[in-house]
């Protein structure tokens, strides 16, 4: 019989902890690992990780399989790869990685991960910001899975376009309300649509990324040239991204 435990929220005694689920006896093991992970990151000056229920759901299925098999692996026969199973559970990300292990206690599990270069690198990766942790007790041994990710926001086209538009306005460019031409250009591999919009752009940038932190270098350089006074922004469906999440955009400069 397996006792399945997902890291439990401390409710009144810790902030941003994962939600309490059934499987009470060993929930403290997963909660302790969650706390130790964030403590280790804080000691390195890294941001604390937020709990991700979708990552935890994916980790739970894999951890159950580990406990059933006995020998731990990142992928078993017939099982989807990490990116596929986390995406299928509802996670949105542009980076995902995983630590697995077995041990007698939560403290020992965390210690072993921290003493292993590859596992430590995952745990202290400055690019990740979400985690789901699961512990399963089987045959007197704790089986544990940590799934980490760099989460991608879920934005509708208008929100996505406005996020980029605000950066363009900050660069001193007037952003046009009509987005039809830019949206059509976004879906193209090159060029711009004919017969759409009254003006033809002097510069076109289209790109695909899992982050909206900054504009592409080529677009930044064009804006810094001060040759363009107006811009149009359009988004469209990302292409060839498999299980990873990404945004696809086009900016037309006039």
């Amino acid at each position: 019989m397996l006792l399945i435990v997902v890291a439990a929220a401390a409710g009144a005694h810790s902030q941003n902890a994962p939600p309490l689920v059934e499987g009470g006896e060993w929930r403290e093991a997963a909660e302790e690992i969650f706390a130790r992970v964030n403590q280790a990151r804080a000691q390195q000056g890294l941001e604390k990780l937020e709990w991700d229920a979708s990552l935890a759901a994916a980790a739970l299925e894999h951890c159950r399989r580990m406990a059933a098999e006995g020998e731990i692996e990142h992928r078993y026969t017939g099982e989807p790869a990490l990116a596929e199973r986390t995406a299928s559970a509802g996670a949105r990300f542009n980076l995902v990685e995983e630590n697995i292990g077995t041990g007698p206690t939560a403290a020992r599990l965390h210690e072993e991960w921290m003493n292993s270069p590859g596992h430590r690198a995952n745990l202290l990766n400055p690019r990740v910001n979400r985690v789901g942790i699961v512990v399963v007790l089987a045959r007197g041994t704790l089986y544990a899975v940590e799934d980490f990710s760099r989460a991608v926001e879920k934005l509708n086209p208008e929100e996505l376009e406005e996020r980029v538009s605000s950066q363009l306005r900050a660069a001193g460019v007037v952003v046009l309300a009509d987005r039809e031409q830019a949206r059509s250009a976004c879906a193209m591999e090159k060029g711009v649509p004919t017969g759409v919009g009254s003006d033809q752009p002097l510069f076109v940038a289209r790109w695909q990324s899992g982050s909206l932190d900054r504009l592409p270098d080529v677009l930044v350089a064009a804006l810094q040239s001060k040759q363009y006074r107006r811009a149009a922004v359009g988004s469209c469906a990302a292409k060839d991204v498999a299980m990873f999440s990404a945004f696809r955009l086009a900016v037309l400069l006039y």
Side-chain angles (χ1 to χ4, degrees), residues 51-108:
W51 183 258
D52 191 298
S54 296
L55 291 177
L60 176 58
E61 292 303 313
H62 186 65
C63 201
R64 283 173 169 165
R65 182 71 182 269
M66 290 199 323
E69 296 282 348
E71 295 293 329
I72 64 173
E73 300 285 350
H74 284 286
R75 186 180 185 183
Y76 296 100
T77 302
E79 183 183 39
L82 173 61
E84 184 178 353
R85 66 175 184 260
T86 48
S88 296
R92 290 176 54 84
F93 51 84
N94 54 33
L95 169 67
V96 64
E97 54 194 27
E98 181 176 74
N99 285 346
I100 60 175
T102 62
T105 66
R108 181 67 65 82

Side-chain angles (χ1 to χ4, degrees), residues 120-196:
R120 180 186 175 92
N122 287 343
L123 198 151
L124 298 180
N125 188 343
R127 296 179 61 200
V128 301
N129 56 15
R130 299 285 183 88
V131 67
I133 303 172
V134 169
V135 175
V136 170
L137 174 65
R139 299 174 295 279
T141 298
L142 296 181
Y143 292 76
V145 175
E146 296 178 317
D147 282 347
F148 305 93
S149 79
R150 180 70 185 179
V152 172
E153 295 178 89
K154 188 174 183 179
L155 302 172
N156 63 40
E158 291 76 18
E159 292 170 331
L160 178 57
E161 291 160 353
E162 181 54 35
R163 186 74 65 85
V164 174
S165 294
S166 65
Q167 296 180 67
L168 295 175
R169 295 189 191 99
V173 176
V174 175
V175 179
L176 304 176
D178 187 352
R179 298 168 175 170
E180 182 180 359
Q181 188 178 35
R183 287 177 173 176
S184 297
C186 179
M188 301 170 63
E189 292 299 328
K190 60 182 180 179
V192 293
T194 58
V196 179

Side-chain angles (χ1 to χ4, degrees), residues 14-16 34-51 123 125-131 148-150:
S14 85
Q15 188 176 10
N16 296 327
F34 180 63
R36 287 178 180 273
V37 166
N38 276 331
Q39 182 180 36
R41 291 178 65 86
Q43 289 172 349
Q44 298 297 318
L46 301 171
E47 68 173 321
K48 291 186 177 182
L49 301 180
E50 295 182 16
W51 183 258
L123 198 151
N125 188 343
R127 296 179 61 200
V128 301
N129 56 15
R130 299 285 183 88
V131 67
F148 305 93
S149 79
R150 180 70 185 179

Side-chain angles (χ1 to χ4, degrees), residues 188-226:
M188 301 170 63
E189 292 299 328
K190 60 182 180 179
V192 293
T194 58
V196 179
S198 57
D199 297 329
Q200 289 300 299
L202 302 175
F203 179 93
V204 178
R206 55 173 65 83
W207 73 99
Q208 191 162 294
S209 173
S211 173
L212 295 177
D213 292 344
R214 58 168 295 157
L215 300 173
D217 291 342
V218 63
L219 178 56
V220 171
L223 294 170
Q224 291 175 342
S225 74
K226 304 299 183 182

